[in-house]
């Protein structure tokens, strides 16, 4: 592994609980270096999955949280001013392409389309990255793969990937894990008993049914881990759920009452 | 404590009058380094609370007043031009993450979403901050915690946190203190008698009932402290209340009359 | 007084004719360093008042005319490029906070909210100014006070101060002076006779009644001083009033006729 | 006269044909250094008038054509990068204020309000110009005067001067000159006979009656001079009028026919 | 001719086929240095005409293709950073004004109004160009003339020249040439026979009748030259017309059928 | 071939399966250096075609993926800061024009119109590229040709090429290849049997019929190659089609069911 990307190696196995054939499919996709798109709601484990796959494949992982003011230069690189004039510095995408890392663009719809478009030549059979400002044409390293995530429920009419971008990717769907799997995750990550973990998952299921009926999103697995970790530190479960599940989710008094009631049912 | 953040230590105990179990809950959240979101109206004591907690936990506190033109670089850092080329300077968020301070982003909905998104990798289990421009991946110091504040009544449709941001935080609600507590605060902070403080709180309660009926916000505890401190300097109470409570709040002649009348009732 | 702000000392007593208890109230506010907001229509003497108070209190006064493209850096300071790299230069707000001047932000609603928000930490009990780009936390000098002005009739829905800003200030209302006072001012400032000054004030009163009925603003005291100074140079009073009072105010032919008629009534 | 503004002296008497008492009124206004606003349609002689007055008063004249992307720095000055770091360069407004020129801001409504607002401290009794970026407070030279022009028929709802700006100026109205005067001007400037000049003025009068009935503006004196100068070079009058009066004014076929017919009537 | 503009001399006579008295009128306009505006649809020969006139008059020609992000600096010039600090570089407009070239601003309505406004002082009797950033007032060389082009059918409500700009120019109308002239042009430029050229012109006439009835623009002379040059290389005329005349013009299937049918009629 | 563009030579024959006379027509267009526009849906082979033609003609190919934040400088070049001041660096368009490459602007409607307009002088008989910032006029190398691509179904009212741009190009239409040709392509590119390739093409044809009835775009040849390459690695065909054809294309549950059913029909 090239020293420039060695820091990005995932050295410890991330805890990931597979819910279907996603691990095998991803391995096949990586084998042909197919660019991948991970779809699913916030906090359901997309980022964890790509960390797990990078660990399993033994490849470095460079993650970029996308945002609407990220310029193409933030991905590709730029000239820095130096004592001896200007010096080129590779951006995270160039670093990954040049030295063979998996590059993960998290929440890619947040980025402006012009930023997204720089990935096109890396995602067709050319597998090159033109550094127009430097006048260099980087041929992607054989280990390089591009992965993007996006939340289909979140995108608005104004923010969506173009078809000419989407069609460059294979896609995997992610959702909240099934009750038993999620219970196992919460218990494993926080140390609470199976019983408490099950109650938390029960609350989450109630809340997820309210999605679209007053809630924009359901309670994510991540939030359950938050609540569990407070309970594990002997915070009163009602207070823990209010603080970690209900208050962050909504400011609507009726929804809060409904969620608080759901919490009381279980604890 | 690292010398770079030593200046940010809160050396004197800030005056804070707890109104519930918020101190204990915050301590539990800090123990698991859960990112925290403080919700409540303007001037009700959110900033004071986080200062108090930083003092109680003995951790430095770096406060950033967010605004809509704050760039990610303002939080994370930037290269400065130097006699020998460029020199990197950590921004407040990087400083806090690197050396173990509590970083408090005040009125975070004011910031652009792209600026907000840079906190994501610090608020999940990775606890890292990628400095993309520097090509460095800062692992958060074990003492680092992120705290944000926001005013639920204030946010518009255009300005709200994304669910994928909200779900990363535990949340505590704040409101105006109850009458007795507020009286104690006003008296303690300004030196006016309990009787005068009580009258000021009485005026505030009248005004708060008008919120949504012609007033955008009620009179805050901070405004009562303003009025009290004028009265303590022997300004006529009617003039002090007009100047510190009524005139700043509204330009509507009818609302002014109603508020002036409320003042006259008490003084 | 620190040499950096000595140039900003008001050395001559500005002519100011008090119209109520505003001088005493301001002195009490300054005694507790309460941030002050001066409200009133254009040209009614707000700027003159703050100059007078700075002179009376013997403090330097740094005035900033706000505008919608003023950045936070314009207030706080910036790095300048130097032969030896970069050099920090305090902006007017930092200069005032560091060395103890009164900082007067004129027409503050003109500024963008992000610029306004930098004054927050200077206007609560912290009295600090974080220079985020420099990594310095300026503690305000004991003499520092912040004063802002704004014209309530002028602000639109798009441009208003946020409640969380307003509530940090005590407020004083200003209006056009009463006839006798204004006559005295016009005569004192231009050298015209009391009789001529009275006629000019009479014209202004007619015009002020038309505010909201075809005129956006009335004739200000400043405009009367303009007209008076022309008459004092023996310009024909009708021509002077047309040029200094009527033509600048409106391009509407009917309003011009009405105002010209008012002028003819008096001269 | 200071050498920095000597180049801006108007050395030759510009041809200006007074139409009323505007020369005397301007002289009185200059005597008290009242800021002046020249109102009127495009091409009616406002710029020529201010050149004439600068010549008559023997003061240098610095003209700035305003536009909506002109920044405050374009008026006030900026730091330039130099071999030895940065060097300040006065903008045209600073140059005029510092060394005593008349500064003429042409079509001031074109400029952004934030640019306009920098002239405020120069237009009240302070007569200062704060160079915030330089930390200098320029006291205006005793000879300095500010003059602005604007076209009342042109301004839209989006682009108008604020009342707090307008009220700082005395105002003079300009219109197209009366027929005899305009004939004299056209003949003097182009060398055509009085007869030809009269015919051109006749065409212009017809066109001006169409303003608001299909034409946005009438034919200006400047356009008549254009047509006249072609005729003086023996271009056929019909072709000259088409090219200099009709084609530039409108692309509407009906209006063109009407105007061409008017031309044929006279030639 | 000054060496700085010698490269811009038009050394070979451009092929231009006059359609009226436009050459004589332009010469008269140049004789009095009247700024000129060339109006007409795309591809009808405006650019060719100004090249021809520059050649005929023996003056260098500097052409600028205007666009909506062209800044005033792109026209006027800017400071470049150099080993010894900053160095001024004249923009194309300054180059032309200083050394006496014809400056041709192609499609001037594309430029922002603030960019357009910099030409004002060059287009009235002053004939100067203030370089505000450099503090220099360039007096236009006696040979300098300004020419602009614009397409009246193209401009939208949002993009039009201001009257105060239009009135500074004499105007010449351009259209597609008459059939015989156009046939001669196509044959001369491509080498096809008169017969083939005539058929191409016939197709164009059909298409031009559809302008406004489903087509935004007609087929230009330039497109006929494209088609002719393919036919001259023995491409099948039907394929050549499809590729050079029909496919670039429209994506509407019905319009394509109509145009293809017109082609078949002739070939 | 000049060394500056030697890297851009296409050294291996790209696999391209001609579907009509497009190769001959392109050769004729190149012979007269006619600028070319390639129209067609995403993923149908436009980029592959221009690579093939560059290989066939033995010319270097410089490809630029256009985006809405690409500035004219990104195409034309810019000054870089160097130890000895500034140094000019040609952009990709200048490189191609100067040294004789084919310059391919992919998805040109994405670029801002001001960026597009810089190609105008290269696409008429002048064949020059003015480097306004450098003050240089580059005459295009005799081998230079400009090619642009665009997707007619994709452009919105806001984003289209101007007629004055379109008319500078010859145009070739591209579509999805016919079933037999596409089967051959999929089989050749992935190694799957003719039978499997035929089934994939069958799925694609079903999906393409849904374009405009719930799908924005059909399944492209590129997506079929993705699916085929997974099947060739022994991924279950149903899972491969879901991942490579259906999931990337749509998030609509009904459309997904319809497409999944189509897949099941064939496999």
């Amino acid at each position: 592994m090239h020293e420039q990307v060695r820091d990005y190696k995932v050295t410890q196995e991330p805890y990931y609980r597979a819910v279907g054939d996603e691990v095998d499919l991803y391995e096949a996709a990586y084998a042909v270096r197919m660019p991948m798109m991970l779809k699913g709601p916030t906090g359901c484990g997309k980022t964890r999955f790509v960390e797990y796959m990078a660990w399993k494949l033994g490849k470095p992982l460079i993650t970029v949280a996308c945002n609407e003011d990220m310029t193409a230069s933030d991905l590709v690189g730029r000239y820095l001013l130096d004592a001896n004039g200007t010096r080129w510095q590779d951006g995270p995408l160039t670093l990954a392409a040049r030295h063979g890392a998996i590059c993960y663009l998290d929440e890619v719809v947040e980025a402006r389309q012009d930023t997204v478009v720089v990935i096109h030549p890396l995602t067709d059979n050319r597998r090159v990255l033109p550094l127009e400002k430097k006048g260099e044409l980087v041929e992607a390293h054989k280990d390089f793969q591009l992965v993007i995530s996006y939340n289909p429920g979140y995108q608005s009419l104004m923010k969506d990937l173009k078809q000419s971008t989407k069609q460059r990717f294979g896609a995997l769907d992610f959702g909240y894990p099934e009750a038993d799997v999620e219970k196992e995750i919460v218990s494993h990550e926080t140390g609470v008993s199976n019983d408490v973990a099950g109650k938390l998952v029960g609350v989450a299921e109630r809340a997820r049914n309210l999605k679209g009926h007053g809630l924009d999103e359901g309670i994510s697995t991540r939030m359950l881990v938050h609540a569990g970790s407070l309970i594990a530190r002997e915070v009163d479960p009602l207070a823990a759920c209010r603080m970690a599940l209900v208050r962050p989710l909504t400011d609507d008094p009726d929804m809060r009452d409904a969620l608080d009631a759901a919490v009381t049912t279980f604890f």
Side-chain angles (χ1 to χ4, degrees), chain A:
Chain A
M1 197 175 292
H2 193 282
E3 67 172 301
Q4 289 246 321
V5 292
R6 207 178 291 145
D7 286 356
Y8 292 94
K9 183 148 184 207
V10 182
T11 49
Q12 267 193 309
E13 176 174 357
Y15 173 74
Y16 181 74
R17 180 67 172 75
V19 295
D21 55 356
E22 74 270 23
V23 172
D24 292 343
L25 287 173
Y26 189 99
E27 283 189 315
Y30 184 78
V32 296
R33 301 299 185 269
M34 185 187 299
M36 287 300 296
M37 182 194 301
L38 311 183
K39 295 184 175 185
T42 188
C44 75
K46 299 185 297 293
T47 299
R48 186 71 68 92
F49 172 68
V50 76
E51 286 177 352
Y52 175 77
M53 292 311 302
W55 171 83
K56 192 154 193 289
L57 296 164
K59 305 296 171 203
L61 173 69
I62 298 181
T63 299
V64 181
C66 296
N67 65 65
E68 64 185 20
D69 279 298
M70 196 169 64
T71 64
S73 295
D74 290 328
L75 281 183
V76 160
R78 56 167 53 80
Y79 280 102
L80 293 179
L81 210 59
D82 208 337
N84 302 309
T86 52
R87 178 175 55 84
W88 176 263
Q89 184 172 53
D90 280 347
L93 182 64
T94 308
L95 209 62
R98 202 191 284 280
H99 302 299
I102 294 172
C103 185
Y104 176 49
L105 304 182
D106 194 14
E107 305 200 41
V108 75
V109 285
E110 290 301 304
R112 294 183 304 189
Q113 292 204 345
D114 64 287
T115 309
V116 172
V117 105
V118 302
I119 65 182
H120 280 197
L122 276 170
T123 51
D124 55 29
N125 69 306
R126 291 173 290 168
R127 281 179 64 88
V128 295
L129 178 61
L131 307 180
E132 274 148 28
K133 285 185 178 146
K134 198 173 169 224
E136 182 190 348
L137 193 76
V138 177
E139 310 245 350
H141 186 283
K142 69 174 175 44
D143 288 353
F144 170 75
Q145 187 200 24
L146 188 70
V147 186
I148 64 179
S149 77
Y150 104 136
N151 180 348
Y154 176 71
Q155 96 239 28
S156 65
L157 280 176
M158 293 304 295
K159 275 194 175 177
D160 195 4
L161 291 179
K162 298 193 302 176
Q163 279 290 338
S164 64
T165 301
K166 280 185 185 174
Q167 299 206 356
R168 292 159 182 277
F169 291 85
L172 285 173
D173 279 351
F174 286 79
Y176 301 120
E178 285 180 34
D180 279 358
V181 175
E182 192 163 36
K183 205 164 77 178
E184 192 186 314
I185 293 172
V186 172
S187 168
H188 175 276
E189 297 248 327
T190 67
V192 294
S193 68
N194 247 328
D195 176 54
V196 167
K199 288 175 173 174
L200 288 169
V201 170
V203 172
E205 281 175 339
R206 294 274 175 103
R208 287 165 191 167
N209 290 333
L210 294 171
K211 180 170 171 178
H213 303 96
L215 284 186
D216 290 335
E217 281 280 342
I219 288 174
S220 66
T221 312
R222 177 189 290 143
M223 295 174 90
L224 297 184
V225 170
H226 271 177
S229 64
L230 288 173
I231 295 171
R233 293 197 73 88
E234 299 185 359
V235 171
D236 169 51
L238 295 179
C241 288
R242 256 204 320 272
M243 179 162 143
L245 305 184
V246 182
R247 294 296 169 269
L249 206 60
T250 179
D251 297 316
D252 180 90
D254 294 340
M255 291 311 303
R256 287 189 162 191
D257 286 352
L259 291 169
D260 283 348
V263 171
T264 319
T265 312
F266 284 94
F267 290 100

